[in-house]
Amino acid sequence: MSEYILEMKHITKTFPGVKALDDVSFKLRPGTVHALMGENGAGKSTLMKCLFGIYHRDGGTILFDGQEVNFKDSKEAIDAGVSMIHQELQPIRMMTIAENVFLGNYPLGRFNLVDHAKMNQDTKALLDEVGLQIDPKTLLHHLTVSQMQSVEIAKAISHKAKVVIMDEPTSSLTSSEVEKLFSIIQQLKEKNIGIIYISHKMDEILRISDDISVMRDGQYVGTWPAAEMTTGKIIQAMVGRELTSLFPEKTNKVEEEVVLRLENLTSPSPLSFKNASFDLKKGEILGIGGLVGAQRTELMEALYGMRVLKEGKIFVKGQEVKIKNPAAAIANKIALVTEDRRFNGIFGVLSVSDNASIASLHQYLGHLGLLNEKQISQVVNQSVDRLRVKTPSTKTHIESLSGGNQQKVILARWLANDPDILILDEPTRGIDVGAKYEIYQIINNLAAEGKSIIMITSEMSELLGVSDRVMVMCEGRISGFLDREEATQEAVMTLATKFMTNQQGGETDA
Ligand SMILES: Nc1ncnc2c1ncn2[C@@H]1O[C@H](COP(=O)(O)OP(=O)(O)OP(=O)(O)O)[C@@H](O)[C@H]1O
Ligand SMILES: [Mg+2]
């Protein structure tokens, strides 16, 4: 018997215009966590999809549990004992949690009918394991992104697999959900299951992995015991050079002019944001910190006209404005880059070019209202270059780009629109370290050009490294502001939990 549960050897895979995998080998020991790392577009997800039967490799061999395998589709992979948590969530939103978990695999009862009672009961047990206290009969579309991700995890562990692939499983989990996942991973290890873990979050990688493999541009770079690795060494292996600093030098200047003022913004829902007031200045980068659930996204969506207000006023450049829908926000030169690119952000079957230009099309209406294609492609090419989006062409469907590159296209869309106020919700989620630096540079340059930026981020280093001023929210209320010099991790955390009475996030009366 081999000491490995899985051996992938000399795997190659070419897509039109891209050599996604070029002679990649990867081995997994049972009962261990093997992290797979690499920049956006390095080929991590493609390698896993070749294993899981979603893509068919052009060459190479796969040994699973000592046998050579060629899974035709994911059902075969699952039946053989491989399961996968996908990077891009693919829930069926009009089905219940239980139906999603058992999709294609329904337990049958008498007369070969689907045994709903058993399905719901089993699902309940799985949900308990991942820490989701929700009725299994709830429709998926009522769940938040983080809850949907937990459902994906429940589904993956339901298959009794020998190998579990986790492709960015924590990208939208709250910190307590992450802890749940880590304890599940521990239990899987104890059952001698092998786990392949893909993430851009260094702290997670260093905490849970036994081995670390790195890929770069479709090629295998190397494998090391995690205990020998540091963030610096991993980054160096990923980007092929040393990154001296994680943040660009700040060159923007915050001016006196107030470009945006919120007064007392309050949601009709008592559980959402209330009495939110703040000013945003020209050239300023305002970071919004807080724990998941602090209502930061909800507040920004209200500002952008996606949610109704119970009360409150919005002033743009000193003029009161009514923003009842996103079109009104865009007319006021406000842009929002959403946190959840799959449901709000991207149009999967449109090309990179269409995705990047969709918000700015009105600018290119020429004579007779026809679109000026040439101008569009110029602007799109410019922003695609500026963000170094890795794509064979701007005509490629955005769905086939790597996750991080999809995020860059969304950003390109808003740069093409030339907004004065740019709201970024978790702008670097799922983005590798090198590309993060580029995005920080773009944020900085935009502010230096006199644009104002609001950035929601759950990454502490990013909040402190990029913002001129930090605003913190807790349980729907603004709990304080910190200037760049005062903003420390402790200060932010203190404000982020200011109105909490217990771990569950109960509330005190103000
Ligand atoms: N279905 C597809 N059609 C065409 N090209 C594809 C397809 N899937 C992936 N690619 C290309 O293969 C390359 C590797 O992509 P992959 O998704 O494997 O990257 P990744 O390492 O998972 O990146 P990320 O960290 O951004 O998720 C990219 O250049 C991507 O555009
Ligand atoms: Mg990927």
Side-chain angles (χ1 to χ4, degrees), residues 294-314:
Q295 304 294 318
R296 297 172 295 172
T297 296
E298 289 73 6
L299 177 60
M300 288 304 118
E301 286 178 353
L303 168 58
Y304 191 65
M306 289 166 69
R307 286 169 187 271
V308 291
L309 289 172
K310 185 172 135 207
E311 55 186 298
K313 289 180 178 168
I314 301 172

Side-chain angles (χ1 to χ4, degrees), residues 41 71 99 119 150 154 182 242 297 341 353 388 405 435:
F71 301 130
E99 286 163 343
M119 193 164 87
S150 294
F182 285 2
E242 219 175 325
T297 296
R341 56 181 176 262
S353 162
R388 299 210 290 148
N405 280 299

